[in-house]
Amino acid sequence: MTVRVYKSTDTGAPAHPSATLGSMAALLRACLVTGYGTQTAAGWEEPFTESSNYAVFRALSGARQFFQIDDNQADADVAAIYAFEAMSDVQTGTGQWVTSSDSYRHFGKRQNATDAYSTSWLVVADELTCYVFLNCQYGLIPFGFGEFQSYRDDNPYRSFIGGHGYTSGLPAGGYPTALHPANAVTTINGYLYVHRGMDYSARVGTSIVAPYSLPTGKALGGDNYLDDDAYSGFSYPVLPAMIGGGNFNAPYGQLRGMYAPCANQPKTHLEQFTHDEMTMLAVNFATATTPGYYGQFWIDITGSWA
């Protein structure tokens, strides 16, 4: 598998998604399917032609779930993302496991009624997993879909969607997204949607396990995050972005190639550096300026995710 990094500053890069219908699908298509400028596509397919503001993306290998972008929302500043086990056309599918009743199905596109912050974006993807970061008032907003690394062997249900719950555009203020480390491993009502939980019986709403304190819980038995320079000579831990399995008191898996430092944005945004023999890209995210609503992911861009 090849990990590819796409940036809004690339030559020929598509525009930041906007109120224009189809703009979210256009960004994903350019990164996943067609490529742009000198950038090679991540190697996904678009099995149906975009129609009536619906587009569908699917990996060419692995679990091969169908991810539908629905740009027909009440507010054009936001799209929705749904997931199906099978589809016969761009609108029709079976085995749907993210639906219109799921509050965290929203995906982008710009801050409500303004393009002022719709500047930078970042996509990191390989042939199975796609992470999307879109700019809003306080920084980048993280999203994702595709496969996660399951801790259950040969798991055929190892797919996820991470969106947000704000219905009028990109979340700004006190609105954590699904890809925001915010809960304990036992979470059963989280908003990171997993195709099926640890017992395979049903779709699970879970969460990324918090590496430091956030609005809904404390991390690793502690009370707060560490400033990276809090103690001279102290090496803060860096954890995989683990996810729970529903009502099972154990991690179910981890997001492929994504890590969470147990410190408060210890690296410079978009800094590339070496950690545990991996080349990492530090990516800041934020929906507000208070510590509960910002943080940093490290994404392994060495070459292949497990």
Side-chain angles (χ1 to χ4, degrees):
M1 298 291 174
T2 302
V3 177
R4 303 184 189 279
V5 179
Y6 306 93
K7 299 179 181 178
S8 54
T9 53
D10 294 338
T11 300
H16 190 287
S18 65
T20 301
L21 300 182
S23 59
M24 174 60 76
L27 173 62
L28 295 175
R29 181 179 301 112
C31 297
L32 298 180
V33 181
T34 65
Y36 60 86
T38 59
Q39 287 279 28
T40 303
W44 292 51
E45 68 170 352
E46 192 169 3
F48 314 106
T49 301
E50 181 177 2
S51 176
S52 301
N53 302 315
Y54 291 92
V56 175
F57 300 95
R58 189 188 190 200
L60 291 170
S61 61
R64 303 202 70 202
Q65 296 295 290
F66 292 80
F67 297 98
Q68 180 197 62
I69 303 300
D70 177 356
D71 211 348
N72 296 284
Q73 306 307 298
D75 192 320
D77 293 334
V78 66
I81 182 168
Y82 300 112
F84 297 83
E85 294 176 349
M87 297 191 77
S88 57
D89 60 53
V90 74
Q91 296 188 50
T92 309
T94 59
Q96 187 171 3
W97 52 272
V98 176
T99 73
S100 58
S101 64
D102 291 315
S103 58
Y104 270 53
R105 70 188 186 278
H106 299 99
F107 206 84
K109 299 180 287 183
R110 66 166 187 171
Q111 185 164 332
N112 187 27
T114 179
D115 286 318
Y117 308 107
S118 298
T119 53
S120 63
W121 57 260
L122 174 74
V123 173
V124 185
D126 72 353
E127 291 89 337
L128 301 178
T129 305
C130 177
Y131 301 118
V132 181
F133 297 83
L134 302 179
N135 202 60
C136 197
Q137 182 174 359
Y138 301 105
L140 295 178
I141 309 296
F143 305 98
F145 60 94
E147 293 191 23
F148 64 93
Q149 180 183 343
S150 176
Y151 295 158
R152 182 168 179 178
D153 292 341
D154 301 319
N155 182 356
Y157 306 111
R158 57 189 183 274
S159 300
F160 79 97
I161 281 179
H164 66 84
Y166 189 59
T167 61
S168 299
L170 285 169
Y175 297 96
T177 65
L179 261 68
H180 196 125
N183 271 311
V185 72
T186 54
T187 296
I188 60 175
N189 295 313
Y191 297 109
L192 181 73
Y193 300 131
V194 175
H195 184 192
R196 296 194 187 182
M198 194 176 288
D199 63 357
Y200 292 175
S201 63
R203 202 286 304 277
V204 166
T206 184
S207 179
I208 302 176
V209 180
Y212 47 78
S213 181
L214 289 169
T216 54
K218 299 176 182 178
L220 307 177
D223 289 330
N224 213 328
Y225 62 83
L226 286 171
D227 288 324
D228 61 298
D229 58 353
Y231 299 99
S232 177
F234 179 81
S235 180
Y236 52 86
V238 178
L239 303 177
M242 295 181 292
I243 59 176
N247 58 350
F248 289 84
N249 190 18
Y252 184 27
Q254 65 193 58
L255 296 180
R256 300 175 66 246
M258 184 173 281
Y259 295 80
C262 297
N264 179 28
Q265 297 186 343
K267 298 293 184 180
T268 302
H269 179 53
L270 299 184
E271 178 181 352
Q272 293 187 28
F273 58 97
T274 300
H275 174 79
D276 282 351
E277 300 183 347
M278 294 180 286
T279 301
M280 294 287 198
L281 176 69
V283 182
N284 290 351
F285 59 88
T287 61
T289 58
T290 53
Y293 298 98
Y294 65 76
Q296 184 176 88
F297 284 126
W298 293 0
I299 303 179
D300 174 16
I301 59 172
T302 306
S304 182
W305 294 333

